[in-house]
Amino acid sequence: MANNACKPFATSPTELKALPVAALASQADAIRHFLIEKISATGGHIGANLSVVEMTLAIHYVFDSPRDKIIFDTGHQGYTHKLVTGRMPAFDSLNTYRGMSRFIAREESEHDTIDASHAGTSISLSSGIASALRSQDETASTVAVIGDGSLVEGMAFEALNFAGSAQDLKLVLVLNDNEMAIAPSVGGVRNVTTGKDWQQKSRHFFEGLGYQYIAVANGHDVEAVVKALEAAKQLARPCVVHLKTEKGRGLACAAGHPYKLHFSMPFDPVTGQGAAPTVAGKTYAVVLAEKLESLMQKDGDIDVITPATPYASSLDKFFNLSGPSHRCGDGRAACHGYGLWPGPGREKAGCVHANHIYAKSI
């Protein structure tokens, strides 16, 4: 066990599995306390990781990593995974040069199946791994963790189409649905997964694609999540376990933040003072955003799109401008963003387009 100022928590899958299921809630509390304490000091992805604490504990409790393969999408959801696979001492180096990766990294641990950053790749990769395991180890399962924000990616949809028809794959898709990518989720998929009848709509959607479907309305009820994952594992066929979670859970200053403090440089965990997505000063992103803002104030025919990154791209103020100019966030659908705005019809109509995208999303 490892100790912090609050409670002990397991730092290996073996330790975790030795606990009674009733002890997992206190494990989650201790890990959430540790993450807030450490990440507020070093900086890092805080909001998304607070969403998946119970989910990750339940996955490691039910499945047998590294024999069972666990793939995170996106990779910055993996901090609890890092803790329960022995990397607690490395957290002091998070967000530093040559320190512990902010993402999933094979060089760090045998429990990291792939190098994972952004986004939409987990279902495709896990279906390929599950196909290979089918002939190598009949008892091994593959688990893909994907957020509702990443689910809109084109690659994710292609993989959903494929894996739903491969009924002999021991594949569990864990949908971490906190109704956000980096920014709030947008589009038709959100219409399926939200609303009073979200379970019914989601069941029809996934079962129509060939998946078994299990929903947990409170994804922070760790015992309920364990039960759902155990049922999915026993099915031995493609199954979606749909969990409703809260981004930034347990961090008071994240509650009122527009992106639930998705990522931040070091900050005060009580007041939120210092919270910022990038280093202070006039970064290239700030320079570009200021230039776009000035151009849009003069020209109503400028269209700008960003795939879920108004926060770190310094586009928040610019997206709130009044006037006839067009601003669009297409969720995490980066590939779609390239096709959406430069279409021939818009060019013929005299529109000017700018696509503001992170290099890691290309």
mmCIF file of all heavy atoms in Angstrom, residues 32 46-55 77 148 175-181 216-221 243-257 259-261:
data_model
loop_
_atom_site.group_PDB
_atom_site.id
_atom_site.type_symbol
_atom_site.label_atom_id
_atom_site.label_comp_id
_atom_site.label_asym_id
_atom_site.label_seq_id
_atom_site.Cartn_x
_atom_site.Cartn_y
_atom_site.Cartn_z
ATOM 1 N N ARG A 32 -8.530 10.138 -5.276
ATOM 2 C CA ARG A 32 -8.997 11.464 -5.708
ATOM 3 C C ARG A 32 -8.283 12.565 -4.901
ATOM 4 O O ARG A 32 -7.867 13.581 -5.451
ATOM 5 C CB ARG A 32 -10.515 11.543 -5.550
ATOM 6 C CG ARG A 32 -11.120 12.809 -6.118
ATOM 7 C CD ARG A 32 -12.631 12.712 -6.220
ATOM 8 N NE ARG A 32 -13.044 12.054 -7.460
ATOM 9 C CZ ARG A 32 -13.598 10.851 -7.521
ATOM 10 N NH1 ARG A 32 -13.807 10.149 -6.416
ATOM 11 N NH2 ARG A 32 -13.944 10.329 -8.685
ATOM 12 N N ILE A 46 -6.434 17.376 -14.898
ATOM 13 C CA ILE A 46 -7.090 17.114 -13.632
ATOM 14 C C ILE A 46 -8.568 16.771 -13.803
ATOM 15 O O ILE A 46 -9.059 15.787 -13.249
ATOM 16 C CB ILE A 46 -6.904 18.296 -12.637
ATOM 17 C CG1 ILE A 46 -7.560 18.014 -11.294
ATOM 18 C CG2 ILE A 46 -7.369 19.603 -13.237
ATOM 19 C CD1 ILE A 46 -6.959 16.868 -10.539
ATOM 20 N N GLY A 47 -9.320 17.553 -14.569
ATOM 21 C CA GLY A 47 -10.771 17.365 -14.672
ATOM 22 C C GLY A 47 -11.157 15.985 -15.179
ATOM 23 O O GLY A 47 -11.998 15.296 -14.588
ATOM 24 N N ALA A 48 -10.541 15.560 -16.284
ATOM 25 C CA ALA A 48 -10.893 14.275 -16.882
ATOM 26 C C ALA A 48 -10.530 13.117 -15.967
ATOM 27 O O ALA A 48 -11.264 12.125 -15.878
ATOM 28 C CB ALA A 48 -10.191 14.119 -18.228
ATOM 29 N N ASN A 49 -9.403 13.222 -15.265
ATOM 30 C CA ASN A 49 -8.975 12.121 -14.405
ATOM 31 C C ASN A 49 -9.853 11.958 -13.179
ATOM 32 O O ASN A 49 -10.045 10.840 -12.690
ATOM 33 C CB ASN A 49 -7.519 12.328 -14.007
ATOM 34 C CG ASN A 49 -6.583 11.867 -15.106
ATOM 35 O OD1 ASN A 49 -6.406 10.675 -15.309
ATOM 36 N ND2 ASN A 49 -6.011 12.810 -15.835
ATOM 37 N N LEU A 50 -10.417 13.041 -12.682
ATOM 38 C CA LEU A 50 -11.327 12.931 -11.546
ATOM 39 C C LEU A 50 -12.638 12.263 -11.954
ATOM 40 O O LEU A 50 -13.380 11.777 -11.109
ATOM 41 C CB LEU A 50 -11.591 14.312 -10.948
ATOM 42 C CG LEU A 50 -10.366 14.985 -10.320
ATOM 43 C CD1 LEU A 50 -10.725 16.388 -9.826
ATOM 44 C CD2 LEU A 50 -9.791 14.156 -9.177
ATOM 45 N N SER A 51 -12.900 12.211 -13.250
ATOM 46 C CA SER A 51 -14.100 11.564 -13.771
ATOM 47 C C SER A 51 -14.005 10.047 -13.773
ATOM 48 O O SER A 51 -15.021 9.356 -13.714
ATOM 49 C CB SER A 51 -14.356 12.070 -15.200
ATOM 50 O OG SER A 51 -15.429 11.412 -15.811
ATOM 51 N N VAL A 52 -12.784 9.504 -13.839
ATOM 52 C CA VAL A 52 -12.634 8.066 -14.109
ATOM 53 C C VAL A 52 -12.020 7.273 -12.958
ATOM 54 O O VAL A 52 -11.592 6.135 -13.143
ATOM 55 C CB VAL A 52 -11.797 7.832 -15.389
ATOM 56 C CG1 VAL A 52 -12.464 8.468 -16.592
ATOM 57 C CG2 VAL A 52 -10.371 8.355 -15.219
ATOM 58 N N VAL A 53 -11.961 7.825 -11.761
ATOM 59 C CA VAL A 53 -11.305 7.136 -10.645
ATOM 60 C C VAL A 53 -11.994 5.803 -10.352
ATOM 61 O O VAL A 53 -11.367 4.729 -10.363
ATOM 62 C CB VAL A 53 -11.278 8.020 -9.382
ATOM 63 C CG1 VAL A 53 -10.697 7.240 -8.205
ATOM 64 C CG2 VAL A 53 -10.467 9.283 -9.633
ATOM 65 N N GLU A 54 -13.301 5.844 -10.069
ATOM 66 C CA GLU A 54 -14.026 4.615 -9.745
ATOM 67 C C GLU A 54 -14.029 3.649 -10.924
ATOM 68 O O GLU A 54 -13.885 2.422 -10.745
ATOM 69 C CB GLU A 54 -15.469 4.944 -9.327
ATOM 70 C CG GLU A 54 -15.583 5.653 -7.989
ATOM 71 C CD GLU A 54 -15.368 7.163 -8.062
ATOM 72 O OE1 GLU A 54 -15.174 7.691 -9.189
ATOM 73 O OE2 GLU A 54 -15.406 7.813 -7.012
ATOM 74 N N MET A 55 -14.216 4.161 -12.111
ATOM 75 C CA MET A 55 -14.218 3.341 -13.312
ATOM 76 C C MET A 55 -12.914 2.560 -13.475
ATOM 77 O O MET A 55 -12.906 1.356 -13.741
ATOM 78 C CB MET A 55 -14.429 4.251 -14.530
ATOM 79 C CG MET A 55 -14.332 3.574 -15.875
ATOM 80 S SD MET A 55 -14.243 4.792 -17.201
ATOM 81 C CE MET A 55 -15.592 5.874 -16.799
ATOM 82 N N GLN A 77 -6.661 10.247 -19.627
ATOM 83 C CA GLN A 77 -7.563 9.721 -18.599
ATOM 84 C C GLN A 77 -6.877 8.670 -17.721
ATOM 85 O O GLN A 77 -7.530 8.059 -16.883
ATOM 86 C CB GLN A 77 -8.787 9.060 -19.246
ATOM 87 C CG GLN A 77 -9.690 10.002 -20.010
ATOM 88 C CD GLN A 77 -10.909 9.281 -20.554
ATOM 89 O OE1 GLN A 77 -12.004 9.356 -19.992
ATOM 90 N NE2 GLN A 77 -10.737 8.585 -21.656
ATOM 91 N N ASP A 148 -17.344 10.112 -24.219
ATOM 92 C CA ASP A 148 -18.394 10.471 -25.171
ATOM 93 C C ASP A 148 -17.893 11.514 -26.162
ATOM 94 O O ASP A 148 -18.342 11.558 -27.307
ATOM 95 C CB ASP A 148 -19.628 10.984 -24.431
ATOM 96 C CG ASP A 148 -19.353 12.212 -23.575
ATOM 97 O OD1 ASP A 148 -18.514 12.133 -22.655
ATOM 98 O OD2 ASP A 148 -19.965 13.261 -23.815
ATOM 99 N N LEU A 175 -17.792 3.262 -21.950
ATOM 100 C CA LEU A 175 -18.090 4.624 -22.388
ATOM 101 C C LEU A 175 -18.156 5.544 -21.178
ATOM 102 O O LEU A 175 -19.095 5.478 -20.373
ATOM 103 C CB LEU A 175 -19.410 4.662 -23.164
ATOM 104 C CG LEU A 175 -19.898 6.039 -23.634
ATOM 105 C CD1 LEU A 175 -18.841 6.740 -24.488
ATOM 106 C CD2 LEU A 175 -21.210 5.905 -24.410
ATOM 107 N N ASN A 176 -17.137 6.387 -21.038
ATOM 108 C CA ASN A 176 -17.081 7.374 -19.960
ATOM 109 C C ASN A 176 -17.835 8.612 -20.412
ATOM 110 O O ASN A 176 -17.298 9.464 -21.121
ATOM 111 C CB ASN A 176 -15.620 7.719 -19.641
ATOM 112 C CG ASN A 176 -15.508 8.884 -18.688
ATOM 113 O OD1 ASN A 176 -16.337 9.045 -17.793
ATOM 114 N ND2 ASN A 176 -14.487 9.714 -18.876
ATOM 115 N N ASP A 177 -19.068 8.725 -20.008
ATOM 116 C CA ASP A 177 -19.959 9.768 -20.514
ATOM 117 C C ASP A 177 -20.154 10.851 -19.456
ATOM 118 O O ASP A 177 -21.014 10.748 -18.582
ATOM 119 C CB ASP A 177 -21.300 9.138 -20.905
ATOM 120 C CG ASP A 177 -22.274 10.137 -21.500
ATOM 121 O OD1 ASP A 177 -21.914 11.320 -21.635
ATOM 122 O OD2 ASP A 177 -23.403 9.720 -21.832
ATOM 123 N N ASN A 178 -19.314 11.905 -19.552
ATOM 124 C CA ASN A 178 -19.503 13.056 -18.670
ATOM 125 C C ASN A 178 -20.031 14.263 -19.450
ATOM 126 O O ASN A 178 -19.979 15.393 -18.976
ATOM 127 C CB ASN A 178 -18.205 13.410 -17.930
ATOM 128 C CG ASN A 178 -17.029 13.623 -18.861
ATOM 129 O OD1 ASN A 178 -17.197 14.111 -19.983
ATOM 130 N ND2 ASN A 178 -15.834 13.292 -18.421
ATOM 131 N N GLU A 179 -20.519 13.986 -20.666
ATOM 132 C CA GLU A 179 -21.130 14.991 -21.539
ATOM 133 C C GLU A 179 -20.158 16.081 -21.938
ATOM 134 O O GLU A 179 -20.555 17.210 -22.230
ATOM 135 C CB GLU A 179 -22.400 15.561 -20.899
ATOM 136 C CG GLU A 179 -23.443 14.483 -20.609
ATOM 137 C CD GLU A 179 -24.742 15.008 -20.029
ATOM 138 O OE1 GLU A 179 -24.949 16.240 -20.063
ATOM 139 O OE2 GLU A 179 -25.549 14.182 -19.554
ATOM 140 N N MET A 180 -18.854 15.724 -21.966
ATOM 141 C CA MET A 180 -17.835 16.685 -22.342
ATOM 142 C C MET A 180 -16.709 15.979 -23.090
ATOM 143 O O MET A 180 -16.413 14.805 -22.832
ATOM 144 C CB MET A 180 -17.245 17.390 -21.117
ATOM 145 C CG MET A 180 -18.236 18.198 -20.317
ATOM 146 S SD MET A 180 -17.437 19.228 -19.070
ATOM 147 C CE MET A 180 -16.769 20.550 -20.096
ATOM 148 N N ALA A 181 -16.099 16.703 -24.027
ATOM 149 C CA ALA A 181 -14.771 16.351 -24.511
ATOM 150 C C ALA A 181 -13.846 17.227 -23.660
ATOM 151 O O ALA A 181 -13.839 17.129 -22.446
ATOM 152 C CB ALA A 181 -14.637 16.628 -26.007
ATOM 153 N N VAL A 216 -24.926 2.204 -16.417
ATOM 154 C CA VAL A 216 -24.834 2.520 -14.988
ATOM 155 C C VAL A 216 -25.057 4.024 -14.855
ATOM 156 O O VAL A 216 -24.233 4.822 -15.317
ATOM 157 C CB VAL A 216 -23.469 2.126 -14.397
ATOM 158 C CG1 VAL A 216 -23.418 2.476 -12.911
ATOM 159 C CG2 VAL A 216 -23.201 0.641 -14.609
ATOM 160 N N ALA A 217 -26.164 4.397 -14.251
ATOM 161 C CA ALA A 217 -26.533 5.806 -14.177
ATOM 162 C C ALA A 217 -25.574 6.618 -13.316
ATOM 163 O O ALA A 217 -25.373 7.807 -13.557
ATOM 164 C CB ALA A 217 -27.961 5.950 -13.657
ATOM 165 N N ASN A 218 -24.986 5.993 -12.309
ATOM 166 C CA ASN A 218 -24.008 6.660 -11.447
ATOM 167 C C ASN A 218 -22.666 5.955 -11.616
ATOM 168 O O ASN A 218 -22.389 4.947 -10.948
ATOM 169 C CB ASN A 218 -24.450 6.642 -9.989
ATOM 170 C CG ASN A 218 -23.435 7.305 -9.060
ATOM 171 O OD1 ASN A 218 -22.440 7.886 -9.517
ATOM 172 N ND2 ASN A 218 -23.675 7.237 -7.773
ATOM 173 N N GLY A 219 -21.835 6.474 -12.489
ATOM 174 C CA GLY A 219 -20.536 5.871 -12.753
ATOM 175 C C GLY A 219 -19.543 6.038 -11.632
ATOM 176 O O GLY A 219 -18.408 5.552 -11.742
ATOM 177 N N HIS A 220 -19.929 6.702 -10.544
ATOM 178 C CA HIS A 220 -19.072 6.837 -9.370
ATOM 179 C C HIS A 220 -19.487 5.876 -8.250
ATOM 180 O O HIS A 220 -18.870 5.883 -7.184
ATOM 181 C CB HIS A 220 -19.071 8.285 -8.883
ATOM 182 C CG HIS A 220 -18.571 9.241 -9.932
ATOM 183 N ND1 HIS A 220 -17.259 9.294 -10.323
ATOM 184 C CD2 HIS A 220 -19.237 10.145 -10.708
ATOM 185 C CE1 HIS A 220 -17.113 10.200 -11.285
ATOM 186 N NE2 HIS A 220 -18.298 10.726 -11.526
ATOM 187 N N ASP A 221 -20.494 5.066 -8.513
ATOM 188 C CA ASP A 221 -20.865 3.979 -7.612
ATOM 189 C C ASP A 221 -19.994 2.787 -8.003
ATOM 190 O O ASP A 221 -20.341 2.010 -8.901
ATOM 191 C CB ASP A 221 -22.347 3.653 -7.756
ATOM 192 C CG ASP A 221 -22.810 2.532 -6.839
ATOM 193 O OD1 ASP A 221 -21.948 1.777 -6.317
ATOM 194 O OD2 ASP A 221 -24.038 2.379 -6.664
ATOM 195 N N LEU A 243 -21.288 4.450 -18.726
ATOM 196 C CA LEU A 243 -21.244 5.026 -17.386
ATOM 197 C C LEU A 243 -21.433 6.537 -17.444
ATOM 198 O O LEU A 243 -20.720 7.230 -18.175
ATOM 199 C CB LEU A 243 -19.893 4.725 -16.727
ATOM 200 C CG LEU A 243 -19.424 3.269 -16.736
ATOM 201 C CD1 LEU A 243 -18.051 3.173 -16.094
ATOM 202 C CD2 LEU A 243 -20.416 2.366 -16.036
ATOM 203 N N LYS A 244 -22.359 7.047 -16.677
ATOM 204 C CA LYS A 244 -22.520 8.489 -16.537
ATOM 205 C C LYS A 244 -21.602 8.973 -15.405
ATOM 206 O O LYS A 244 -21.696 8.500 -14.266
ATOM 207 C CB LYS A 244 -23.974 8.845 -16.219
ATOM 208 C CG LYS A 244 -24.889 8.816 -17.427
ATOM 209 C CD LYS A 244 -24.627 9.992 -18.346
ATOM 210 C CE LYS A 244 -25.628 10.055 -19.490
ATOM 211 N NZ LYS A 244 -25.395 11.236 -20.352
ATOM 212 N N THR A 245 -20.720 9.904 -15.723
ATOM 213 C CA THR A 245 -19.754 10.392 -14.745
ATOM 214 C C THR A 245 -19.756 11.916 -14.717
ATOM 215 O O THR A 245 -20.411 12.570 -15.522
ATOM 216 C CB THR A 245 -18.338 9.883 -15.081
ATOM 217 O OG1 THR A 245 -17.950 10.405 -16.360
ATOM 218 C CG2 THR A 245 -18.284 8.361 -15.106
ATOM 219 N N GLU A 246 -18.977 12.460 -13.800
ATOM 220 C CA GLU A 246 -18.884 13.913 -13.618
ATOM 221 C C GLU A 246 -17.439 14.352 -13.800
ATOM 222 O O GLU A 246 -16.558 13.940 -13.038
ATOM 223 C CB GLU A 246 -19.368 14.303 -12.223
ATOM 224 C CG GLU A 246 -19.246 15.778 -11.904
ATOM 225 C CD GLU A 246 -19.514 16.087 -10.438
ATOM 226 O OE1 GLU A 246 -19.908 15.161 -9.683
ATOM 227 O OE2 GLU A 246 -19.306 17.255 -10.039
ATOM 228 N N LYS A 247 -17.197 15.174 -14.776
ATOM 229 C CA LYS A 247 -15.850 15.706 -14.982
ATOM 230 C C LYS A 247 -15.498 16.665 -13.842
ATOM 231 O O LYS A 247 -16.302 17.504 -13.452
ATOM 232 C CB LYS A 247 -15.782 16.434 -16.326
ATOM 233 C CG LYS A 247 -14.375 16.804 -16.766
ATOM 234 C CD LYS A 247 -14.374 17.342 -18.196
ATOM 235 C CE LYS A 247 -12.960 17.667 -18.654
ATOM 236 N NZ LYS A 247 -12.932 18.153 -20.055
ATOM 237 N N GLY A 248 -14.289 16.513 -13.309
ATOM 238 C CA GLY A 248 -13.854 17.364 -12.205
ATOM 239 C C GLY A 248 -14.420 16.975 -10.856
ATOM 240 O O GLY A 248 -14.321 17.760 -9.898
ATOM 241 N N ARG A 249 -14.964 15.777 -10.738
ATOM 242 C CA ARG A 249 -15.641 15.368 -9.499
ATOM 243 C C ARG A 249 -14.696 15.469 -8.299
ATOM 244 O O ARG A 249 -13.564 14.966 -8.333
ATOM 245 C CB ARG A 249 -16.161 13.940 -9.624
ATOM 246 C CG ARG A 249 -16.967 13.479 -8.401
ATOM 247 C CD ARG A 249 -17.492 12.065 -8.619
ATOM 248 N NE ARG A 249 -18.261 11.575 -7.485
ATOM 249 C CZ ARG A 249 -19.553 11.777 -7.287
ATOM 250 N NH1 ARG A 249 -20.240 12.478 -8.182
ATOM 251 N NH2 ARG A 249 -20.186 11.283 -6.236
ATOM 252 N N GLY A 250 -15.163 16.111 -7.241
ATOM 253 C CA GLY A 250 -14.407 16.224 -6.006
ATOM 254 C C GLY A 250 -13.538 17.464 -5.905
ATOM 255 O O GLY A 250 -12.964 17.724 -4.850
ATOM 256 N N LEU A 251 -13.448 18.234 -6.978
ATOM 257 C CA LEU A 251 -12.645 19.463 -6.979
ATOM 258 C C LEU A 251 -13.601 20.648 -7.074
ATOM 259 O O LEU A 251 -14.162 20.927 -8.136
ATOM 260 C CB LEU A 251 -11.666 19.459 -8.150
ATOM 261 C CG LEU A 251 -10.753 20.682 -8.295
ATOM 262 C CD1 LEU A 251 -9.878 20.857 -7.054
ATOM 263 C CD2 LEU A 251 -9.890 20.560 -9.544
ATOM 264 N N ALA A 252 -13.778 21.343 -5.970
ATOM 265 C CA ALA A 252 -14.805 22.383 -5.893
ATOM 266 C C ALA A 252 -14.619 23.467 -6.946
ATOM 267 O O ALA A 252 -15.587 23.930 -7.557
ATOM 268 C CB ALA A 252 -14.815 22.989 -4.493
ATOM 269 N N CYS A 253 -13.368 23.875 -7.180
ATOM 270 C CA CYS A 253 -13.156 24.973 -8.120
ATOM 271 C C CYS A 253 -13.379 24.559 -9.570
ATOM 272 O O CYS A 253 -13.433 25.418 -10.460
ATOM 273 C CB CYS A 253 -11.748 25.562 -7.953
ATOM 274 S SG CYS A 253 -10.401 24.408 -8.290
ATOM 275 N N ALA A 254 -13.534 23.253 -9.837
ATOM 276 C CA ALA A 254 -13.823 22.792 -11.194
ATOM 277 C C ALA A 254 -15.303 22.914 -11.529
ATOM 278 O O ALA A 254 -15.674 22.992 -12.701
ATOM 279 C CB ALA A 254 -13.372 21.350 -11.379
ATOM 280 N N ALA A 255 -16.147 22.945 -10.507
ATOM 281 C CA ALA A 255 -17.589 22.902 -10.736
ATOM 282 C C ALA A 255 -18.077 24.061 -11.593
ATOM 283 O O ALA A 255 -18.921 23.882 -12.482
ATOM 284 C CB ALA A 255 -18.327 22.882 -9.398
ATOM 285 N N GLY A 256 -17.570 25.265 -11.346
ATOM 286 C CA GLY A 256 -18.010 26.423 -12.103
ATOM 287 C C GLY A 256 -17.143 26.753 -13.303
ATOM 288 O O GLY A 256 -17.388 27.745 -13.990
ATOM 289 N N HIS A 257 -16.136 25.948 -13.562
ATOM 290 C CA HIS A 257 -15.231 26.198 -14.676
ATOM 291 C C HIS A 257 -15.863 25.692 -15.969
ATOM 292 O O HIS A 257 -16.434 24.604 -16.000
ATOM 293 C CB HIS A 257 -13.896 25.493 -14.428
ATOM 294 C CG HIS A 257 -12.803 25.886 -15.363
ATOM 295 N ND1 HIS A 257 -12.647 25.301 -16.593
ATOM 296 C CD2 HIS A 257 -11.815 26.802 -15.254
ATOM 297 C CE1 HIS A 257 -11.608 25.833 -17.205
ATOM 298 N NE2 HIS A 257 -11.090 26.753 -16.412
ATOM 299 N N TYR A 259 -14.773 24.315 -18.571
ATOM 300 C CA TYR A 259 -14.242 23.043 -19.054
ATOM 301 C C TYR A 259 -13.925 22.105 -17.891
ATOM 302 O O TYR A 259 -13.191 21.137 -18.064
ATOM 303 C CB TYR A 259 -13.003 23.282 -19.916
ATOM 304 C CG TYR A 259 -13.268 24.306 -20.996
ATOM 305 C CD1 TYR A 259 -12.657 25.549 -20.977
ATOM 306 C CD2 TYR A 259 -14.181 24.041 -22.018
ATOM 307 C CE1 TYR A 259 -12.934 26.499 -21.939
ATOM 308 C CE2 TYR A 259 -14.467 24.977 -22.987
ATOM 309 C CZ TYR A 259 -13.844 26.208 -22.956
ATOM 310 O OH TYR A 259 -14.127 27.150 -23.912
ATOM 311 N N LYS A 260 -14.488 22.393 -16.725
ATOM 312 C CA LYS A 260 -14.298 21.577 -15.517
ATOM 313 C C LYS A 260 -12.820 21.359 -15.216
ATOM 314 O O LYS A 260 -12.409 20.285 -14.781
ATOM 315 C CB LYS A 260 -15.027 20.229 -15.664
ATOM 316 C CG LYS A 260 -16.496 20.353 -16.029
ATOM 317 C CD LYS A 260 -17.263 21.212 -15.040
ATOM 318 C CE LYS A 260 -18.731 21.349 -15.439
ATOM 319 N NZ LYS A 260 -19.471 22.299 -14.589
ATOM 320 N N LEU A 261 -12.037 22.410 -15.474
ATOM 321 C CA LEU A 261 -10.599 22.393 -15.239
ATOM 322 C C LEU A 261 -9.962 21.173 -15.926
ATOM 323 O O LEU A 261 -9.276 20.372 -15.318
ATOM 324 C CB LEU A 261 -10.283 22.393 -13.742
ATOM 325 C CG LEU A 261 -9.025 23.205 -13.362
ATOM 326 C CD1 LEU A 261 -9.205 24.677 -13.697
ATOM 327 C CD2 LEU A 261 -8.720 23.052 -11.884
#
